[in-house]
């Protein structure tokens, strides 16, 4: 149906298939929030992929998956690019920064995110107390939680280096590429969102004032 939101008509309903604490889903949630698009969160289960398999016709079993007006899109970066074409208001991928944003997104997912995994996953799994979930995640990541804990010190060091680079880029800016929120902000935010799930881990960010202020700005988008 039609939903009236912020004085404009929004076609249909947006369904976002997610895990509540999934960082890659959070990347998409930040963009939806910035674009003032309402969505229905549909929680998935790490083992039972029935709803995802039905939705993507077996092509994709990971979150996030977005469904809107009968179209189904998966992979966080592809979802955001698709949303930006479909909903032109408050665009998050400026034409003159497309390649740069792709590079930042790729670096964020595959490099910046890695130390966060070692620092966050062991405590998250410990708190969940679900042996099947633990086995599932360890297999997915290719490391046991004990091995991740052994990596904690070098991971912290690596993270400090990355935060220093981001902090320098944010000097005197509200957002990573300048005065406006872009997909680059969503991409760089999601690993830190994941890190913040274990509050003591997040204390490392306090040494980087620009990152701290920027993180709160992205977190509090309305």
């Amino acid at each position: 149906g039609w939903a009236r939101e912020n004085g404009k008509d929004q076609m249909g309903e947006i369904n976002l298939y997610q895990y509540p604490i999934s960082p890659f889903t959070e990347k998409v949630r930040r963009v939806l929030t910035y674009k003032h698009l309402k969505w229905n969160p549909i929680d998935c289960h790490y083992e039972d992929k029935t709803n995802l398999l039905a939705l993507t016709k077996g092509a994709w079993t990971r979150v996030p998956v977005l469904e809107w007006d009968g179209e189904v899109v998966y992979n966080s970066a592809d979802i955001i690019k698709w949303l930006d074409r479909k909903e032109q208001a408050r665009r998050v991928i400026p034409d003159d920064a497309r390649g740069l944003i792709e590079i930042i997104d790729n670096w964020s997912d595959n490099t910046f995110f890695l130390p966060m995994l070692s620092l966050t996953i062991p405590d998250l799994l410990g708190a969940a107390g679900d042996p099947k979930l633990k086995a599932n995640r360890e297999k997915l990541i290719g490391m046991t939680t004990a091995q991740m804990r052994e990596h904690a010190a070098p991971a912290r060091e690596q993270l400090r280096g990355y935060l220093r680079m981001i902090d320098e880029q944010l000097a005197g800016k509200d957002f990573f590429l300048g005065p406006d929120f872009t997909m680059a902000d969503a991409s760089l935010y999601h690993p830190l969102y994941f890190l913040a799930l274990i509050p003591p881990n997040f204390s490392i960010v306090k040494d980087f004032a620009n990152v701290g202020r920027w993180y709160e700005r992205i977190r509090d988008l309305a």
Side-chain angles (χ1 to χ4, degrees), residues 16 18 22-37 39 80 83 90 92 175 181-191 193 214-222:
L16 182 63
Q18 63 164 29
S22 153
F24 295 95
T25 307
E26 181 61 16
K27 189 202 294 189
V28 174
R29 289 189 293 240
R30 292 298 83 210
V31 170
L32 288 166
T33 300
Y34 177 74
K35 283 181 170 284
H36 297 156
L37 293 169
W39 71 94
I80 292 169
L83 278 171
R90 295 170 78 85
V92 297
F175 298 101
F181 174 87
T182 67
M183 178 179 165
D185 296 291
S187 300
L188 291 164
Y189 173 84
H190 82 78
Y193 158 86
W214 164 86
Y215 177 85
E216 289 174 6
R217 194 171 289 126
I218 307 302
R219 182 194 66 197
D220 298 339
L221 283 177

Side-chain angles (χ1 to χ4, degrees), residues 9-209:
D9 289 321
Q10 183 177 314
M11 273 272 304
E13 288 199 333
I14 298 175
N15 293 321
L16 182 63
Y17 291 74
Q18 63 164 29
Y19 306 139
I21 63 171
S22 153
F24 295 95
T25 307
E26 181 61 16
K27 189 202 294 189
V28 174
R29 289 189 293 240
R30 292 298 83 210
V31 170
L32 288 166
T33 300
Y34 177 74
K35 283 181 170 284
H36 297 156
L37 293 169
K38 285 203 166 99
W39 71 94
N40 304 315
I42 299 176
D43 290 346
C44 299
H45 191 269
Y46 67 89
E47 271 189 320
D48 182 358
K49 307 285 192 179
T50 314
N51 57 355
L52 285 178
L53 285 165
L55 191 66
T56 66
K57 300 184 170 45
W60 195 256
T61 59
R62 284 179 287 168
V63 295
V65 176
L66 186 131
E67 179 189 26
W68 189 7
D69 289 347
E71 289 198 66
V72 175
V73 194
Y74 39 86
N75 181 325
S76 58
D78 290 341
I79 291 171
I80 292 169
K81 287 188 270 190
W82 181 83
L83 278 171
D84 221 38
R85 289 192 297 272
K86 186 171 172 70
E87 179 49 71
Q88 296 277 318
R90 295 170 78 85
R91 285 179 60 199
V92 297
I93 307 173
D95 290 333
D96 63 353
R98 283 183 183 280
L100 178 59
I101 282 173
E102 291 256 17
I103 290 167
I104 291 165
D105 183 72
N106 191 289
W107 179 83
S108 199
D109 284 5
N110 299 301
T111 304
F112 186 38
F113 187 52
L114 290 183
M116 320 281 187
L117 275 180
S118 304
L119 294 170
T120 307
I121 289 279
D123 287 351
L124 273 187
L125 290 176
D130 178 344
K132 284 176 83 172
L133 174 64
K134 184 171 185 280
N136 175 285
R137 297 291 102 173
E138 287 181 335
K139 185 171 180 235
L140 189 75
I141 294 162
M143 248 196 291
T144 65
T145 52
Q147 287 170 318
M148 286 181 231
R149 288 192 193 281
E150 284 169 23
H151 278 101
R156 220 169 260 116
E157 212 36 58
Q158 204 173 31
L159 181 52
R160 293 189 77 80
Y162 297 155
L163 288 170
R164 199 172 298 115
M165 297 193 299
I166 295 169
D167 199 69
E168 284 182 17
Q169 171 67 11
L170 285 168
K173 293 190 187 75
D174 282 350
F175 298 101
F176 192 74
L177 296 180
D180 299 313
F181 174 87
T182 67
M183 178 179 165
D185 296 291
S187 300
L188 291 164
Y189 173 84
H190 82 78
L192 289 168
Y193 158 86
F194 194 64
L195 187 75
L197 294 174
I198 308 293
N201 277 343
F202 201 70
S203 61
I204 193 169
V205 177
K206 73 179 187 300
D207 294 335
F208 302 94

